Each structure stands twice: as C-alpha cells, then as structure tokens.
Amino acid sequence: MQPTAAAPESVTWKIHLDRSMWVAGVRALMLQALHPVAMQGVWQRSDFRSDPTGRLLRTAHFVAVTTYGSPTEAEALGEHIRRVHRALSFTDPATGRLHRVDQRDLLVWVHCAEVSSYLETAHRAGVPLTAEEGDRYVDEQSRTASYVGLSRDDVPRDLAGMRRYLAAVRPSLRATPEARQAVRFLLWPKVPERLAWLTPLKPLWFPVGALSYATLPAWARRAYGMLPDPPGSGALATTALRGLRAGLELVPERYYNLVFDEATVRSADEARKRLLAAGYEVENGFRALRAHTRFRAPAVPAPRDPAEV
C-alpha cells in the first residue's frame, strides 16, 4: 500500500502544503457561499455561525488527511463525512424544496470551488506551476471526489473542464444575506477556546480574510460589495498575497503547526514515519528550524540486463 493518499512528488503536495493555503481555504468558503442552495445547507445544518474557525480547521484537516494521510485514514475520514451527510437535509426557503446535503450538484459545486480556489491562490501567491501541472492537479483532485460520495467522472478532470463548469454555474450564483453574513464571520472569526492564547494576535487575521476576499473573481467581489474594490485591486491583492506567503514561509514548522488541531499534526507525524519506512529521505535542513519537511522519492533501481538474469 502506498504510504500517503497523495505522493510527495504530486502537484497536490506542492499546493496543499504551501502556506498560501490559509488564504485559499478562506477564499474557497467565500466562493462556496455564493451558491444560494449550498449556502442554505451550511446555514441550516452546520455550526458555521457559532464556530467559523472550527469549520476552517475541519476543512484544513480534510485537506491534510486526503493529502498525506494513509489511504486507510483518508477513506475512513471520507466514510465518516458521507455517513454524516447522508443523514442531513434542509429546506430552501426561496422554493420550499427539500434538499439533501449530499445532493450531487451541491457536492460538485463545493469540490470545484475548493479546487479552483486552491489552484488559483497558490499560483497567484508565487507557487511555480505550469499549465500541465494545473491539469495534473485538477485530475489528481478528481480522486478526492470519492471521499465525499462522488466519482471522478462527476467533476472536471482538467483546467478546461473546470473553466467550463464554473462558467456554466455562474448565472445561478449570487450574494444572499446569509452569504454576506458568512463573509463577515470569515473576515473576523471567533477565536476557539483551545486557541485562546492567540486572541491578542487576532488583528493579524484580518489581512488573511481581506486577501481571501480580494482574490475572489471580480464579479464575486461586486456581488458581495463588502470591502473597497478600487481599480487595480486585483494586482495589489496578488502582490500582498506574495508578501504574506513569503512571511509565512519563514515560520518554522514546529511553531506553524501549533495552529492546527492535534489530529492534523499527528497525521503529519505518522506520514513522516511511513514515508521514511518506504525509502523516502528528508532532503532539507535541520528539523527545528525548517519551515517545511521536504521528501526525496526513493531512487528507482536501474533495470537489470536480461543477460545477467
């Protein structure tokens, strides 16, 4: 069995372990909120309003486990999510129609909003990505669709397919009162009790929330209309995003991990052990000081000469 759900040499690792994912994750939630029906599911059937930070950390845990968790760990988390979603339904107040949380079109929207946000934010933040790697990332992420109850054929498999999907769904998206309230929560979230020691640093969160908003598509920023959006704001957001990423990249891994849930950090530690046992090597720096643990794949043995067999 492979040691991690995605290999360290995958584009998935390149994006998901980058520090720009904080902005990417919040951007994804802001984008997802623009789907009126999906937003009602979150509004009625989750604890988002009382614990938006917890929602973000749970999303971070899902991304972590489906990236560097073991295949068994990733599938167990997926089964838990599918089981919870199967039991939940909600009513759209605009139509009176009953919807299931695991409704296919809603799951596809959530998946595409996340994948497109992660990819675009990482690229704008300065992660070196080619168009071919963009296609590979979208295809790699189509495998994660199975964790929430979709198949790979339900979601886009390349950048062109992702663009076609987003263009097709665009006319149905709008900023409802619930979506605007969700953005307010994300711009200034409540600090969870276990991170109370970070309360004095809460003002440092606003740049993350504001950048998440500023990196939304222009039409989405116009729909929300909640923060100033002067001409050239897109380019300014990209510059600021690169600066934020550069600063976060300097934080040693041991301190950076304090923000995550214990289960997320434990999964990373177990992944390191499995990768080392599988022949991977840590290729960078002193553990106490490095910002990231980077792995070198095992060398592929040279093919033997048939004459020697």
Side-chain angles (χ1 to χ4, degrees):
M1 179 183 292
Q2 63 188 50
T4 51
E9 55 269 31
S10 66
V11 186
T12 292
W13 268 59
K14 188 175 186 177
I15 292 175
H16 289 182
L17 270 68
D18 193 82
R19 301 289 170 83
S20 63
M21 279 293 287
W22 282 110
V23 174
V26 179
R27 181 196 192 270
L29 294 176
M30 291 179 175
L31 185 60
Q32 289 169 0
L34 288 166
H35 192 298
V37 180
M39 185 64 236
Q40 283 299 324
V42 172
W43 200 251
Q44 297 178 34
R45 304 300 301 182
S46 81
D47 61 354
F48 178 80
R49 282 178 285 180
S50 60
D51 187 17
T53 307
R55 169 71 184 274
L56 180 60
L57 290 175
R58 286 192 296 276
T59 299
H61 183 67
F62 175 81
V63 170
V65 170
T66 57
T67 300
Y68 56 67
S70 70
T72 300
E73 184 183 5
E75 181 50 46
L77 178 59
E79 171 55 33
H80 171 74
I81 291 171
R82 294 192 299 272
R83 183 170 62 252
V84 170
H85 285 178
R86 280 195 298 269
L88 299 177
S89 60
F90 63 95
T91 301
D92 180 1
T95 63
R97 179 183 170 189
L98 184 68
H99 295 270
R100 292 172 55 99
V101 168
D102 62 356
Q103 192 172 299
R104 177 186 172 278
D105 61 322
L106 302 183
L107 294 178
V108 171
W109 164 247
V110 169
H111 172 90
C112 291
E114 288 179 352
V115 172
S116 62
S117 289
Y118 300 164
L119 178 59
E120 180 170 343
T121 303
H123 178 67
R124 291 177 67 176
V127 178
L129 292 165
T130 65
E132 187 272 336
E133 286 179 313
D135 282 332
R136 277 172 50 201
Y137 175 69
V138 175
D139 188 55
E140 288 171 6
Q141 286 305 291
S142 71
R143 295 185 178 93
T144 68
S146 65
Y147 296 126
V148 296
L150 295 169
S151 73
R152 296 188 69 182
D153 292 333
D154 285 329
V155 298
R157 300 284 296 273
D158 56 23
L159 285 171
M162 180 65 75
R163 293 188 187 106
R164 286 193 299 271
Y165 170 80
L166 294 175
V169 77
R170 164 71 185 87
S172 64
L173 305 178
R174 65 178 186 275
T176 62
E178 292 86 355
R180 289 192 176 91
Q181 188 63 29
V183 169
R184 292 189 188 96
F185 286 139
L186 291 168
L187 288 171
W188 195 252
K190 178 182 177 182
V191 178
E193 185 175 341
R194 76 169 193 84
L195 295 177
W197 59 276
L198 286 175
T199 300
L201 301 178
K202 184 176 177 179
L204 297 178
W205 174 261
F206 185 76
V208 175
L211 271 176
S212 304
Y213 180 95
T215 55
L216 286 168
W219 64 263
R221 300 195 304 272
R222 289 193 297 269
Y224 277 126
M226 295 176 61
L227 291 178
D229 193 21
S233 59
L236 288 173
T238 298
T239 300
L241 178 59
R242 293 191 173 204
L244 177 66
R245 174 179 180 256
L248 290 175
E249 288 289 297
L250 297 176
V251 180
E253 198 172 60
R254 61 186 298 184
Y255 300 117
Y256 182 78
N257 286 346
L258 293 174
V259 178
F260 293 97
D261 285 337
E262 290 181 9
T264 307
V265 177
R266 185 166 57 250
S267 182
D269 289 340
E270 292 300 319
R272 181 179 183 276
K273 295 175 184 176
R274 289 194 307 273
L275 288 167
L276 293 176
Y280 281 80
E281 297 179 357
V282 175
E283 65 177 9
N284 64 309
F286 182 55
R287 186 175 189 184
L289 298 178
R290 63 175 175 249
H292 292 285
T293 300
R294 303 192 189 283
F295 294 93
R296 182 188 300 113
V300 178
R304 297 181 62 185
D305 187 334
E308 297 178 356
V309 178

